[in-house]
Amino acid sequence: MSLRLRLTFKLGAAFVLIWALAAAWMLNDLRNQMMFSLDQRLVASARMVAGLTEQMPGLASVSGGAHLRTEQLNVPGGMACQVSSLRGEILARSHTTPEEGLESRKSGFRDQVIDGVGWRSFTLSRGDLLITTADRQVEREALNLSILLAASVPVGVALLGCLCLLWLGIGQSLVPLNRMRDALMRRSADSLEPLQIHPLPSELKPLLDTQNQLLQRIAKTIERERRLTGDAAHELRSPLTAIKTHLQVARMTEGAARDQSLAHAEEGADRLHRTLEQLLLLARVEGNLSFDDGLHSTAEEVARLAIQDANAGDNRRIDLILPDNLSATPVEMPVGLAVAALRNLLDNALRHTPADTRVELSVLTATDNVVFRVRDHGKQ
């Protein structure tokens, strides 16, 4: 699902929910007000008929159940009206009144069902007469439905219009993201220059800055890999050339000269092996690979392992100086990485120190730290 569709769906759903709750509240209040108005119409009609009965002194002599015209009772069309005595005798009624008559023993409003038809009636007591006015429930519900439809259609149309505007507005707001996408798609595979997109909303500037920082890191990584490749090629070329030369000399000579050439070739192979190990270690460091092999060594053990590996095993010129109170606590560092780092320092010291001088390796402790100090006597 696209971001535009997802935003439209979520915001539209929230919008529809809020509008639906507001519309339901409004329509419920409107229905209550309409029912109250219809009830008040029944009350007003009953009072009006009561006023007319006072002007019709011969009403009591009308034969029981006699029908009077609606014009005589002066009630609105569709409304039933019935005039009865306190004994329940129907004195007059409109032609819309059911044959069984309306229940009028109690004053006030009531709901009743006559011949399967629901009625809402109001009875008013005036002297010896009971005036009852009534509406059919089905007519009330039809009126309520028509008002509901009349109020709902504009709300529904407005809601659909708002959703369309929301869709268009979100699409317009996502234009900067589309520009960033197009700018990245137009770039070549080796293009790592920072993106320059203007204008850009403030909310998207952190994204652009992060993208540019990522491009810069990628560029630095690629440059570092290129340098590493060049350095590795240079470091590997020298021992390989020396090995090839010594092997060619050994092929053309005999005796001691041949043995010496083979020994030099072996030294070149050892140098090549150490170079490859250094490259592998560098790749592991830059690749964030784990060095934790589960082994733990003290500072003295790390120093002795580094001396053992230094200068291809020719460690006779290295002096190890240890204090009497050296802690036996394991070094909190991968053993392989600690030994490799210390061995590199020793190799460098031996390489730049005359053959007749010594190299000193001191191990010192200070609180919770351990210090390895390599000292040579080479030329400054």
Side-chain angles (χ1 to χ4, degrees):
M1 183 182 294
S2 66
L3 179 60
R4 182 181 185 182
L5 185 59
R6 187 179 304 172
L7 286 174
T8 304
F9 177 76
K10 291 184 177 181
L11 295 178
F15 195 71
V16 169
L17 179 61
I18 293 175
W19 268 88
L21 293 176
W25 185 10
M26 179 186 66
L27 293 176
N28 182 65
D29 185 67
L30 179 62
R31 184 180 186 279
N32 293 334
Q33 292 295 330
M34 185 192 68
M35 293 302 177
F36 177 77
S37 298
L38 293 176
D39 288 344
Q40 292 302 309
R41 190 182 72 153
L42 292 178
V43 174
S45 298
R47 290 176 178 174
M48 181 181 59
V49 172
L52 291 176
T53 57
E54 295 177 355
Q55 302 175 10
M56 300 172 62
L59 181 62
S61 62
V62 178
S63 59
H67 290 274
L68 298 179
R69 295 192 306 273
T70 304
E71 292 79 3
Q72 290 180 285
L73 294 176
N74 200 20
V75 294
M79 181 184 295
C81 181
Q82 174 182 292
V83 181
S84 59
S85 64
L86 296 178
R87 296 189 302 272
E89 180 183 1
I90 299 177
L91 303 178
R93 61 184 177 183
S94 64
H95 67 279
T96 55
T97 305
E99 294 296 333
E100 294 185 6
L102 298 170
E103 178 65 37
S104 59
R105 288 176 296 177
K106 295 181 180 180
S107 299
F109 293 99
R110 66 178 303 171
D111 295 323
Q112 51 186 303
V113 178
I114 302 174
D115 294 335
V117 179
W119 292 83
R120 173 73 170 175
S121 64
F122 174 76
T123 300
L124 175 65
S125 177
R126 182 63 61 89
D128 296 335
L129 300 177
L130 295 174
I131 298 95
T132 302
T133 54
D135 281 333
R136 290 185 178 88
Q137 293 283 13
V138 65
E139 294 179 355
R140 286 186 165 221
E141 294 300 330
L143 180 60
N144 181 46
L145 181 60
S146 63
I147 294 177
L148 177 64
L149 292 177
S152 300
V153 170
V155 173
V157 173
L159 186 58
L160 290 177
C162 291
L163 291 178
C164 293
L165 293 177
L166 182 63
W167 172 266
L168 296 176
I170 292 177
Q172 188 65 26
S173 300
L174 294 177
V175 168
L177 282 177
N178 295 333
R179 292 207 305 268
M180 292 181 63
R181 178 200 60 192
D182 296 339
L184 290 173
M185 292 180 63
R186 288 193 300 266
R187 286 186 164 216
S188 59
D190 56 349
S191 178
L192 296 175
E193 292 80 10
L195 289 174
Q196 300 294 335
I197 300 177
H198 300 286
L200 195 66
S202 58
E203 292 81 4
L204 293 181
K205 287 183 179 179
L207 175 61
L208 181 63
D209 294 339
T210 304
Q211 181 72 34
N212 290 335
Q213 292 175 6
L214 176 61
L215 293 175
Q216 292 177 359
R217 290 197 298 269
I218 293 175
K220 291 180 180 179
T221 301
I222 294 177
E223 181 62 26
R224 185 166 58 250
E225 290 180 354
R226 289 174 180 172
R227 290 199 305 268
L228 176 62
T229 303
D231 295 341
H234 176 73
E235 292 294 331
L236 294 177
R237 186 185 300 114
S238 298
L240 284 175
T241 302
I243 293 173
K244 183 178 180 181
T245 301
H246 290 306
L247 290 177
Q248 290 175 349
V249 172
R251 183 181 300 172
M252 294 183 297
T253 58
E254 297 291 341
R258 179 180 180 180
D259 294 339
Q260 185 178 7
S261 297
L262 291 176
H264 290 165
E266 185 177 359
E267 292 177 359
D270 292 338
R271 179 184 174 188
L272 179 61
H273 178 70
R274 290 195 301 271
T275 301
L276 291 176
E277 286 186 346
Q278 295 290 335
L279 291 175
L280 179 60
L281 179 62
L282 181 61
R284 294 179 65 186
V285 171
E286 293 189 349
N288 295 326
L289 298 179
S290 176
F291 288 88
D292 190 6
D293 51 5
L295 300 178
H296 300 281
S297 299
T298 63
E300 180 180 356
E301 293 172 344
V302 171
R304 294 189 182 279
L305 289 173
I307 293 175
Q308 182 180 351
D309 294 343
N311 200 23
D314 186 10
N315 49 28
R316 291 170 295 179
R317 293 192 295 138
I318 302 176
D319 295 330
L320 178 60
I321 302 175
L322 299 174
D324 296 334
N325 58 346
L326 182 62
S327 174
T329 304
V331 177
E332 294 183 359
M333 182 178 181
V335 177
L337 192 59
V339 171
L342 188 55
R343 182 190 61 206
N344 289 338
L345 292 176
L346 293 173
D347 287 342
N348 184 69
L350 291 172
R351 187 179 301 112
H352 297 282
T353 301
D356 56 347
T357 58
R358 311 288 295 177
V359 173
E360 298 176 358
L361 172 58
S362 303
V363 182
L364 307 175
T365 56
T367 61
D368 295 334
N369 300 322
V370 60
V371 179
F372 296 95
R373 179 177 298 170
V374 178
R375 181 181 180 186
D376 60 43
H377 300 277
K379 296 181 180 180
Q380 296 183 354

